[in-house]
Amino acid sequence: LVVTLCFKRKKERKEKMSRAFSQVQHNSFLDIYSDPPNDHEWLRANKIVCTIGPKTQDVESLKSLMKVGLAVVRNNFSHGTYEYHEKTIANARQAAKEL
């Protein structure tokens, strides 16, 4: 019974959110007691910008960051070589393709 109610509640919330005409209306349908939708049909009010360094440059790290909300990959051209930044850009494009 509890599982059925939770499923019904998620379905109702998803239907409401799909009818949202603005970010404010979408936000009014949010429920802090439910898991967020995982189908990318919902609106994101902000973007997460990450400056990529040596620890997060590989494709797997970038994919894991993208899964949790990374929207913009930033390079700091004050540090590193052009080859390093070229590899970072190539890895970010590959990670985005694989998701």
Side-chain angles (χ1 to χ4, degrees):
L1 179 64
V2 172
V3 173
T4 306
L5 289 175
C6 288
F7 179 74
K8 184 177 178 184
R9 190 170 167 195
K10 276 185 176 182
K11 187 176 178 182
E12 289 171 357
R13 183 173 48 103
K14 184 177 177 182
E15 288 172 5
K16 280 184 185 178
M17 292 172 104
S18 69
R19 292 190 307 261
F21 294 107
S22 68
Q23 187 66 46
V24 173
Q25 191 176 27
H26 167 80
N27 290 350
S28 70
F29 295 139
L30 293 175
D31 178 6
I32 63 171
Y33 300 108
S34 298
D35 293 331
N38 59 358
D39 55 1
H40 302 296
E41 292 177 8
W42 52 282
L43 302 170
R44 182 179 293 277
N46 51 23
K47 302 290 183 201
I48 297 175
V49 179
C50 294
T51 304
I52 303 303
K55 295 269 186 185
T56 54
Q57 185 188 29
D58 63 292
V59 176
E60 292 304 315
S61 295
L62 288 167
K63 281 176 23 181
S64 65
L65 288 170
M66 289 175 184
K67 286 178 186 175
V68 296
L70 169 66
V72 178
V73 172
R74 179 180 177 273
N75 285 319
N76 185 353
F77 283 96
S78 296
H79 305 285
T81 63
Y82 287 115
E83 292 79 21
Y84 170 82
H85 295 301
E86 182 180 30
K87 182 175 171 105
T88 302
I89 293 167
N91 287 350
R93 288 179 176 161
Q94 182 180 349
K97 275 185 187 176
E98 291 180 10
L99 287 181

